[in-house]
């Protein structure tokens, strides 16, 4: 069949790389894609939220399956758009409908969902500009640090963690009254701070059954030793060494199963990935957040470990037969290290030529903010390329990625030299 992937990051290059290996895929398209996806697919210059142009392409290229990479089109209802259009309604869309995408689109919706289904998470209350005084009072009842979350999508920047009560009150005012994150902070969730180590769990569901993919951990901060500003992710490892079998069983029993059951009870149709951000508090998992898509750069370590044909899995998800699929995982460790433009996550320059990509042998370079220009690969974003390697141990895989990176260069290239330091 012909397949379209929506998105343009390292995650989407990894999807395209994996899908292109499937005998079930005839022609593969990526919109808008990057220099990496153009190696394995045809890029279409279409924005992921231009539903009209996506429709035209789906008809023109006889596309039968659409795999949605990022959250924006899902939260804006791309799956519903397909279902409500006679020409598109038989196309299989991998990604939840708008109502369920609210698990990522609204923090308050996600918290209410977890409360309703007894899924362990931090206790919380939410506030608007009308109830800001109640918000101040609530902050006074909490111990620092204070966790403030913009309710809506804020490009990963909407969570603030503050040590000081006065600062927390000031930020609450900026979010609610001064629209610090635009409309996304018209409502703010204030929650209990959870102290522990983070990991992520990835679930596939057809709305009825589920399969759990390998765990992964990303490194969010720009600086070594997990310091400095938050980024989209500077590297990732899979599996997560501290996720023992006993702990994974707790995640499945207390979180994954109640989540899929909860979606059913609430009549929220869901065909897609559920990315559950977790924190290990003592010996127990608690949910920090839901995302309705795969993580980036977690995809760059999770999908390479998947041995099963990804298109066969997606087909089964679309048909409601996921329970018949056997998920096979490569037992080796996978790690990825993200090369970024100097200055990221603040201002940075683009258009720098990336040298050495074709000399990489022991790793897989997944392109992110990289584009072809005059037959050269040039930088086009903050996160430029994720260098993934396998190893019998995490250390071996990490070493391979760093050796590959030694062959790569572009002006002001930066990467963390300590990915995996804590393992
Ligand atoms: P989120 O955008 O919800 O993933 O939050 C961003 C980051 O803030 C998470 O990856 C955590 O490191 C941190 N965080 C969010 N909520 C809490 C919490 N309740 N307690 C401690 N850290 C949190
Ligand atoms: N790496 C975190 C995310 O994709 O949200």
């Amino acid at each position: 069949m012909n397949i379209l992937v929506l998105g343009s990051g390292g995650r989407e290059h990894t999807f395209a790389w994996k899908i292109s290996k499937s005998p079930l895929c005839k022609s593969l398209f990526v919109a808008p894609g990057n220099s990496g996806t153009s190696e394995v697919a045809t890029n279409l210059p279409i924005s992921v939220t231009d539903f009209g142009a996506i429709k035209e392409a789906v008809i023109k290229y006889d596309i039968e399956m659409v795999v949605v990479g990022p959250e924006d089109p899902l939260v804006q209802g791309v799956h519903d758009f397909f279902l409500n259009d006679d020409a598109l309604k038989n196309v299989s869309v991998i990604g939840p409908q708008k109502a369920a995408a609210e698990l990522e689109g609204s923090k308050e919706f996600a918290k209410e969902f977890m409360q309703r289904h007894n899924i362990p998470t931090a206790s919380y209350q939410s506030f608007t500009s009308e109830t800001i005084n109640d918000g101040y009072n609530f902050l006074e009842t909490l111990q620092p640090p204070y966790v403030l979350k913009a309710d809506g999508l804020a490009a990963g920047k909407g969570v603030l963690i503050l040590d000081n009560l006065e600062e927390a009150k000031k930020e609450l005012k900026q979010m609610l009254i001064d629209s610090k994150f635009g409309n996304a902070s018209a409502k703010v969730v204030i929650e209990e701070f959870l102290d522990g180590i983070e990991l992520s769990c990835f679930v596939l569901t057809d709305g009825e059954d589920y399969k759990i993919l390998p765990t992964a951990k990303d490194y969010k901060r720009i600086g070594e030793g997990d310091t400095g500003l938050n980024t989209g992710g500077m590297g990732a490892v899979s599996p997560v060494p501290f996720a023992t079998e006993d702990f994974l069983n707790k995640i499945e029993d207390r979180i994954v199963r109640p989540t899929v059951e909860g979606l059913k009870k609430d009549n929220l149709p869901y065909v897609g990935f559920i990315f559950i951000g977790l924190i290990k508090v003592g010996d127990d998992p608690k949910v920090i957040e839901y995302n309705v898509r795969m993580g980036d750069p977690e995809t760059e370590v999770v999908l390479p470990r998947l041995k099963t044909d990804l298109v066969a899995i997606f087909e089964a998800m679309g048909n409601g037969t996921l329970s018949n699929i056997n998920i096979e995982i490569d037992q080796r460790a996978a790690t990825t290290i993200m090369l970024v433009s100097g200055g990221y996550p603040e201002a940075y320059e683009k258009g720098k030529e990336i040298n050495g990509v074709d000399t990489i042998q022991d790793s897989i370079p997944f392109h992110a903010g990289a584009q072809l220009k005059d037959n050269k690969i040039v930088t086009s974003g903050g996160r430029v390329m994720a260098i993934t390697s396998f190893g019998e141990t995490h250390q071996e895989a990490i070493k391979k990625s760093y050796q590959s990176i030694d062959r790569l260069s572009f002006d002001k290239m930066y990467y963390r030299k300590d990915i995996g330091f804590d393992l």
Side-chain angles (χ1 to χ4, degrees):
M1 74 169 102
N2 297 344
I3 301 173
L4 169 66
V5 175
L6 295 182
S8 61
R11 168 180 52 209
E12 287 76 18
H13 183 194
T14 313
F15 273 122
W17 168 85
K18 183 77 185 159
I19 290 170
S20 70
K21 296 182 188 296
S22 168
L24 298 170
C25 176
K26 202 164 94 198
S27 297
L28 178 60
F29 301 86
V30 183
N34 60 31
S35 47
T37 61
S38 69
E39 289 170 6
V40 290
T42 304
N43 285 350
L44 304 173
I46 297 173
S47 141
V48 296
T49 50
D50 186 347
F51 296 171
I54 293 170
K55 172 178 174 176
E56 270 177 45
V58 165
I59 292 169
K60 180 170 171 190
Y61 299 110
D62 200 16
I63 284 161
E64 291 170 81
M65 177 184 284
V66 177
V67 180
V68 186
E71 63 277 16
D72 275 335
L74 295 167
V75 173
Q76 290 183 31
V78 70
H79 195 151
D80 312 64
F81 174 83
F82 272 69
L83 289 174
N84 293 329
D85 189 306
D86 278 338
L88 302 178
K89 66 178 182 218
N90 293 321
V91 175
S92 171
V93 178
I94 305 301
Q97 292 168 50
K98 188 176 169 131
E102 281 297 276
L103 281 181
E104 179 165 0
S106 164
K107 302 270 188 208
E108 185 184 46
F109 179 91
K111 297 299 285 192
E112 285 173 351
F113 177 88
M114 288 185 263
Q115 212 168 37
R116 198 158 53 241
H117 301 294
N118 279 317
I119 295 166
T121 187
S123 58
Y124 79 104
Q125 283 190 32
S126 53
F127 303 93
T128 62
S129 58
E130 268 122 61
T131 55
I132 189 164
N133 286 321
D134 300 334
Y136 294 147
N137 293 337
F138 183 58
L139 281 171
E140 279 173 15
T141 68
L142 298 176
Q143 299 297 316
Y146 304 92
V147 183
L148 270 52
K149 301 187 170 185
D151 178 59
L153 290 184
K157 298 193 171 70
V159 176
L160 301 177
I161 297 181
L162 306 150
D163 288 323
N164 173 294
L165 180 63
E166 287 316 309
E167 216 183 322
K169 287 182 177 175
K170 205 173 101 198
E171 287 290 352
L172 181 65
K173 176 174 171 292
Q174 283 187 4
M175 288 167 92
L176 290 175
I177 311 285
D178 308 330
S179 306
K180 176 164 181 154
F181 299 106
N183 200 33
S185 63
K187 198 179 274 173
V188 171
V189 168
I190 301 180
E191 67 180 37
E192 166 202 9
F193 178 81
L194 299 175
D195 199 5
I197 14 180
E198 288 179 55
L199 74 159
S200 300
C201 165
F202 302 93
V203 179
L204 293 162
T205 182
D206 57 5
E208 194 54 43
D209 292 291
Y210 64 84
K211 299 281 175 186
I212 301 179
L213 293 172
T215 52
K217 174 184 188 313
D218 79 342
Y219 292 78
K220 286 198 171 78
R221 303 294 194 92
I222 188 72
E224 279 151 24
D226 288 338
T227 54
L229 293 174
N230 253 325
T231 71
M234 297 296 292
V237 300
S238 176
V240 178
F242 62 79
T244 59
E245 197 179 323
D246 179 49
F247 187 65
L248 292 174
N249 288 337
K250 286 183 187 168
I251 295 174
E252 178 164 6
D253 292 342
R254 300 178 192 176
I255 295 168
V256 175
R257 198 171 304 117
T259 297
V260 175
E261 291 300 322
L263 290 167
K264 275 192 265 185
K265 283 185 199 147
D266 292 352
N267 260 318
L268 295 168
Y270 205 117
V271 172
F273 291 92
I274 314 173
F275 161 174
I276 311 178
L278 299 167
I279 194 156
K280 182 171 182 269
V281 183
D283 284 325
D284 295 319
K286 292 197 178 196
V287 178
I288 291 193
E289 62 166 352
Y290 287 110
N291 294 303
V292 297
R293 52 172 174 86
M294 276 300 285
D296 192 351
E298 292 92 331
T299 306
E300 289 92 307
V301 288
V302 172
L303 284 193
R305 295 188 61 217
L306 177 68
K307 288 187 179 169
T308 315
D309 183 331
L310 185 59
V311 179
I313 298 176
F314 287 158
E315 266 188 341
M317 284 160 66
N319 297 333
T321 55
L322 185 61
S323 62
N324 297 340
I325 292 277
N326 183 28
I327 301 278
E328 263 195 281
I329 300 299
D330 190 326
Q331 291 309 309
R332 290 176 299 169
T335 61
T336 201
I337 292 157
M338 189 64 83
L339 306 180
V340 307
S341 301
Y344 172 81
E346 298 183 284
Y348 56 84
E349 293 166 25
K350 300 182 192 175
K352 310 289 186 188
E353 184 176 348
I354 307 167
N355 299 300
V357 183
D358 51 6
T359 69
I360 302 288
Q361 281 166 350
D362 291 338
S363 305
I364 316 165
F366 289 118
H367 300 208
Q371 294 286 345
L372 278 183
K373 196 176 166 206
D374 304 328
N375 275 322
K376 289 178 179 153
I377 307 172
V378 301
T379 65
S380 62
R383 292 194 295 167
V384 171
M385 206 170 271
I387 310 302
T388 295
S389 311
F390 282 107
E392 292 307 322
T393 62
H394 288 86
Q395 275 62 32
E396 190 185 315
I398 290 165
K399 195 169 154 206
K400 271 194 210 166
S401 287
Y402 283 121
Q403 281 168 349
S404 296
I405 290 172
D406 283 340
R407 296 162 171 264
L408 293 165
S409 64
F410 59 86
D411 185 31
K412 301 198 174 73
M413 176 171 108
Y414 171 78
Y415 57 94
R416 272 181 61 171
K417 298 182 183 57
D418 69 339
I419 297 302
F421 77 97
D422 54 337
L423 301 180

